[in-house]
Amino acid sequence: MIDRKPIESWLTDMDGVLIHEGVPVPGADAFIKRLRETGRPFLVLTNNSIYTPRDLHARLSRMGLDVPVESIWTSALATAKFLDNQHPGGTAYAIGEAGLTTALHDAGYVLTDADPDFVILGETRTYSFEALTKAIRLINDGARFIATNPDNTGPSPEGALPATGSVAALITKATGKDPYFIGKPNPLMMRTGLNVLGAHSESSAMIGDRMDTDILAGLEAGMETFLVLTGVTGTADIDQYPFRPTNVVDSIADLVDLV
């Protein structure tokens, strides 16, 4: 095994790691508290593009998790950062909620349905047939297709909900154009997050509950990875993948002493 540098910075997924079905995972509060006490740079990541960091800060605070707004990194923020680097001051037709539209506005983008540079698909609980039809026509007319994240489904108390990846597949079927997905497992989301922290991958760790997104993205970004067993992936699932996490632990509580 390769000798790694001591961990100086931490990136952690939110759902399945810090919270599960709207309830904090035992030890999550102690982990965040330790990070803040030690001054270690950290980011809480989510592929969900619905909420702004301020929304998520308030949501986590209600659960007793004190995560600063600037320590929250969403696929919407990563998408806006990508667009600002690639095509500053551009125009976009966006399907999504405040998390996406606010990030795009803050990056200097103009939202329009008149010959936009990009069509950007994010997460929303109310996908409109009219909006999807407009997106399809704009892509057919030459707009480039970006999606905030590739998740096919999202959780709800009633069961699975179609998410960005599923809706992107509908648009792809209608246009023949595949989107560029920004969120995990694209390591771009991790690398832009590390840049926000001013951190290096060799001395950073990624904590996640999914092999196919969190662990894969951390691995491809060159980070040490910790798989926690409080979310989607169980011990029996690990061998189904051709790659492995650096470490497997029961929960975030096992990592408090490593900070």
Side-chain angles (χ1 to χ4, degrees):
M1 183 177 284
I2 300 169
D3 284 335
R4 296 194 61 96
K5 294 181 179 177
I7 299 168
E8 310 251 334
S9 309
W10 292 85
L11 275 63
T12 176
D13 185 38
M14 187 170 69
D15 293 301
V17 179
L18 299 177
I19 60 175
H20 184 67
E21 294 181 353
V23 177
V25 172
D29 54 344
F31 183 76
I32 297 295
K33 186 164 179 275
R34 180 67 65 87
L35 284 170
R36 301 200 67 182
E37 285 172 352
T38 58
R40 294 274 188 221
F42 75 98
L43 285 179
V44 173
L45 278 74
T46 177
N47 257 5
N48 191 316
S49 62
I50 290 179
Y51 304 105
T52 67
R54 224 165 22 165
D55 296 334
L56 290 171
H57 165 75
R59 184 179 166 207
L60 291 168
S61 291
R62 285 195 299 271
M63 299 181 201
L65 300 178
D66 188 14
V67 180
V69 171
E70 61 272 16
S71 297
I72 295 171
W73 189 243
T74 70
S75 63
L77 291 176
T79 298
K81 187 79 170 170
F82 168 80
L83 290 168
D84 187 40
N85 287 337
Q86 290 270 313
H87 192 100
T91 58
Y93 178 68
I95 297 176
E97 301 284 344
L100 178 59
T101 56
T102 302
L104 292 171
H105 278 137
D106 288 349
Y109 257 63
V110 172
L111 301 184
T112 178
D113 61 0
D115 193 26
D117 299 314
F118 298 93
V119 165
I120 304 169
L121 178 68
E123 207 81 68
T124 174
R125 293 285 183 258
T126 55
Y127 286 110
S128 137
F129 186 78
E130 184 182 353
L132 295 176
T133 300
K134 190 176 288 291
I136 288 163
R137 290 173 180 166
L138 291 170
I139 291 167
N140 283 337
D141 288 341
R144 285 155 285 178
F145 185 17
I146 302 280
T148 57
N149 63 292
D151 300 61
N152 289 322
T153 60
S156 82
E158 295 79 31
L161 292 168
T164 310
S166 296
V167 180
L170 182 156
I171 294 174
T172 294
K173 198 75 173 173
T175 61
K177 299 284 175 63
D178 291 316
Y180 182 58
F181 289 110
I182 303 293
K184 301 173 292 182
N186 188 345
L188 179 74
M189 183 163 172
M190 309 307 225
R191 293 196 177 280
T192 51
L194 290 172
N195 288 343
V196 165
L197 291 179
H200 297 286
S201 57
E202 303 87 8
S203 56
S204 300
M206 174 66 198
I207 311 164
D209 70 309
R210 293 185 64 130
M211 287 289 288
D212 57 348
T213 55
D214 308 318
I215 301 306
L216 180 57
L219 171 77
E220 291 189 349
M223 301 163 67
E224 186 165 354
T225 56
F226 289 85
L227 176 71
V228 296
L229 303 176
T230 48
V232 172
T233 304
T235 311
D237 303 320
I238 297 172
D239 286 337
Q240 296 174 16
Y241 294 90
F243 53 90
R244 295 187 67 81
T246 321
N247 312 274
V248 181
V249 296
D250 288 331
S251 80
I252 192 81
D254 299 312
L255 302 180
V256 176
D257 290 340
L258 294 184
V259 177

